[in-house]
Amino acid sequence: MPEAASAPALRAVIGDSEFDRDTEVVRRAPGVYDIDLSAGWTIISAVNGGYLLAVLGRALADTLPHPDPFTVSAHYLTASQPGPAVIRTETVRTGRTLSTGQASLFQYDVEGNEVERIRVLASYGDLAALPDDVRTTAVPPAMPPLERCLGPADGPAPVDGSSAITERLMLKLDPATVGWAVGAPSGKGEMRAWFGLADGRDADPFSLLLAVDALPPTAFEIGLTGWVPTVELTVHVRHRPAPGPLRVSITTRNLAGGFLEEDAEVWDSEDRLVAQSRQLARVRLG
């Protein structure tokens, strides 16, 4: 097991934590859910895309007969704001091993018109029923111990304005990927960090949907600054994570035409690859 910092004296548990409360959806009718998007998961004034994915993931878990997200693909249509939202889900297909559904989240503009913020297509299954056979060439990222990595308090804010989400995360960045914070980006397009929730709650499949989109953008290490909004994000959940902090590694190989990809891997405390993702994001050049 990788070396990590000691656990906090008081730990939240899965099902009774700030993350669980802030992602809880209330069923109004079959396939219709209400939620008040929390301002605690924002970057500047926009709600974080991984948090939104977890919110829609919970609505789909209630809609579909299987409990766990296996693959979730989301298109971010407009920026979500803290406040009331409605989610509409639809079952596309159900089978013995997998079920597939779609979901959309809506908010209202100043004139009271519905605006679709995000649309998701996802397949669910039962992670506990998967076979144990693993054949892989993937290896966990090489990172310093958690106590030798750097948190938000150790450097300047990555973007101008408030990032409330950082107060809800245990995020410790690999020093090799924080050159951007002192004006010396590496140019490699890499970001690595230890990841957890600030209240000590262990990870589950829904918090993995948050983990893949919670680190500073790799664009910072390419030498760019500012907001990097997600256009599309696909997450594959491969295993239910073991207790303890996660390691997240994100890389970008190609920035062209004002867009870049980010490939993420999430590893648990037992050196298992528990989630993977790819997203397309827009960058503001110049």
Side-chain angles (χ1 to χ4, degrees):
M1 175 176 173
E3 186 177 354
S6 59
L10 295 175
R11 297 175 60 95
V13 297
I14 295 174
D16 185 19
S17 73
E18 184 176 34
F19 176 76
D20 295 302
R21 292 187 292 273
D22 288 348
T23 57
E24 183 179 7
V25 296
V26 178
R27 191 195 308 184
R28 183 200 306 175
V32 183
Y33 301 85
D34 293 308
I35 186 170
D36 193 41
L37 298 177
S38 171
W41 303 89
T42 55
I43 300 174
I44 310 178
S45 60
V47 181
N48 171 263
Y51 165 76
L52 291 171
L53 213 56
V55 166
L56 273 76
R58 290 201 183 281
L60 282 168
D62 185 78
T63 299
L64 298 173
H66 292 94
D68 301 315
F70 273 31
T71 176
V72 182
S73 295
H75 286 262
Y76 294 81
L77 308 177
T78 54
S80 299
Q81 306 298 320
V86 60
I87 300 167
R88 296 192 179 95
T89 64
E90 178 184 347
T91 300
V92 176
R93 179 186 180 275
T94 60
R96 186 173 61 180
T97 303
L98 291 174
S99 55
T100 300
Q102 61 183 15
S104 291
L105 183 144
F106 301 86
Q107 291 186 304
Y108 296 94
D109 64 18
V110 294
E111 297 176 350
N113 300 311
E114 270 195 350
V115 179
E116 188 173 8
R117 302 298 196 192
I118 175 175
R119 184 177 298 188
V120 162
L121 183 67
S123 289
Y124 277 54
D126 184 356
L127 290 169
L130 296 180
D132 293 330
D133 187 20
V134 176
R135 311 179 196 194
T136 182
T137 59
V139 295
M143 288 173 52
L146 188 150
E147 61 269 17
R148 285 167 40 197
C149 292
L150 304 174
D154 298 315
V159 293
D160 293 333
S162 173
S163 293
I165 189 174
T166 60
E167 300 175 10
R168 279 141 192 91
L169 303 178
M170 187 289 295
L171 197 63
K172 293 288 187 177
L173 297 170
D174 184 338
T177 66
V178 296
W180 52 271
V182 293
S186 68
K188 294 181 179 179
E190 298 176 349
M191 204 67 65
R192 292 184 296 274
W194 293 90
F195 173 89
L197 294 171
D199 60 12
R201 176 199 188 274
D202 283 319
D204 69 350
F206 296 105
S207 66
L208 293 177
L209 302 180
L210 169 68
V212 299
D213 194 43
L215 274 60
T218 54
F220 292 172
E221 274 295 88
I222 299 175
L224 302 173
T225 59
W227 190 34
V228 184
T230 303
V231 177
E232 187 271 345
L233 172 60
T234 295
V235 186
H236 297 164
V237 178
R238 309 302 302 271
H239 204 286
R240 187 175 295 276
L246 303 170
R247 285 158 292 165
V248 183
S249 173
I250 306 179
T251 58
T252 291
R253 296 194 306 161
N254 189 55
L255 186 159
F259 292 85
L260 57 77
E261 89 288 345
E262 287 192 337
D263 291 315
E265 292 183 351
V266 183
W267 296 78
D268 73 1
S269 58
E270 296 184 358
D271 284 345
R272 294 179 300 191
L273 182 60
V274 293
Q276 298 166 277
S277 73
R278 166 166 281 198
Q279 73 168 273
L280 181 70
R282 185 160 52 94
V283 296
R284 304 188 187 281
L285 301 174

